Every structure is written in C-alpha cells, then in structure tokens.
Amino acid sequence: MSQNIYQKIAAVMAEDNYMKRGSAGQGTGVLYDELIVDLKPKLVKHGIVVLVDLISDNSRQNQKGNYIYEGFFAVHYVSVDDGSSHTSHVTAHSMDSGDKAPGKAITYATKISHLKVFAYETGSDEESRAEEKNTDF
C-alpha cells in the first residue's frame, strides 16, 4: 500500500535532520546547497517531488535606494505514488538590482520551506543539538 504525502513527510522527519549553521550571505544560517545535499537522497528514497510556483511578486526601492524583490511562492511536495500533495506558502525577499533577484528569492523560499516542513534542526555546532527524547509510550 502506498503512503500519502503526509506519511512520507513524517518518514523524512524521522531521519536525522540536522544542519550546522555557518556563514550564509550577510549572517549565519544554513546554505541551500548543503541542505539539498542532505535532503535530496531522502526525497528520492521516500518518493517525494518538489515543485515551486510563483504566485505573485513585486519590486521596490528601500530608503537607501536599494532594489528589493519580493516573491510569494507555493512550494509543493508531491507523492510520486498517489499524487497526494502538501503546499507550503512562503514569502521571500532579495536585494539585487539585476536578474538574479527572482532566483535568490525562490532559493530562499524553497530552503525555508524545506527546513520547516521536514523539521530540520539547525545549530552552530553538534553540542548545541537538543537531546533526543524517548517518545515511546
């Protein structure tokens, strides 16, 4: 019997989902490429495809005159077995005056969605990880 998308998401969540924060742009965070290296085999293993749609976007200048791109994205998680899906809606911003702005925003939106949907733990080092609690009742 095939699993629906929520069963598959739960299966990915049951795996060790930890990403060490490091230098990511202007601050500390998780790099998209490092997250994908960890997550992609889990998505393939559990039969989940990720699709991203742009719902709307806008651009404006802030008080300093910097160009800010804002996009509202739908990140879809689809089961390859039965077509069931879950959608995560994310707003993302990027500061870029060129054609890279939409790509930066979609990358950020996808990264944030993955971290939240699959309950990734992030920390500055292994010692900062929360201890596993026994959830057997």
Side-chain angles (χ1 to χ4, degrees):
M1 183 170 180
S2 67
Q3 294 180 313
N4 69 38
I5 191 62
Y6 295 106
Q7 292 167 316
K8 290 180 178 211
I9 289 171
V12 173
M13 289 172 68
E15 298 195 26
D16 184 26
N17 295 333
Y18 173 78
M19 295 300 306
K20 181 180 177 184
R21 283 186 287 172
S23 177
Q26 296 179 347
T28 60
V30 173
L31 294 174
Y32 175 82
D33 290 342
E34 290 176 359
L35 174 62
I36 290 303
V37 165
D38 185 72
L39 182 59
K40 183 178 170 183
K42 297 172 187 178
L43 295 173
V44 171
K45 174 183 169 183
H46 294 288
I48 300 171
V49 174
V50 178
L51 307 168
V52 182
D53 288 325
L54 173 66
I55 296 173
S56 66
D57 65 351
N58 184 36
S59 60
R60 58 184 164 81
Q61 283 189 320
N62 66 10
Q63 292 176 345
K64 295 181 179 179
N66 295 324
Y67 174 83
I68 298 175
Y69 175 86
E70 176 181 64
F72 184 54
F73 300 93
V75 183
H76 308 284
Y77 299 90
V78 183
S79 168
V80 297
D81 295 329
D82 66 1
S84 61
S85 66
H86 168 74
T87 300
S88 173
H89 292 98
V90 182
T91 301
H93 302 88
S94 63
M95 282 188 13
D96 196 305
S97 60
D99 60 352
K100 296 180 199 169
K104 289 179 179 181
I106 196 170
T107 298
Y108 183 77
T110 306
K111 176 181 79 170
I112 293 304
S113 180
H114 292 342
L115 290 170
K116 300 306 178 188
V117 167
F118 298 110
Y120 267 79
E121 181 182 356
T122 61
S124 55
D125 56 51
E126 284 286 329
E127 292 176 1
S128 69
R129 292 189 71 177
E131 290 185 30
E132 289 278 331
K133 295 186 174 137
N134 186 353
T135 57
D136 296 334
F137 296 99

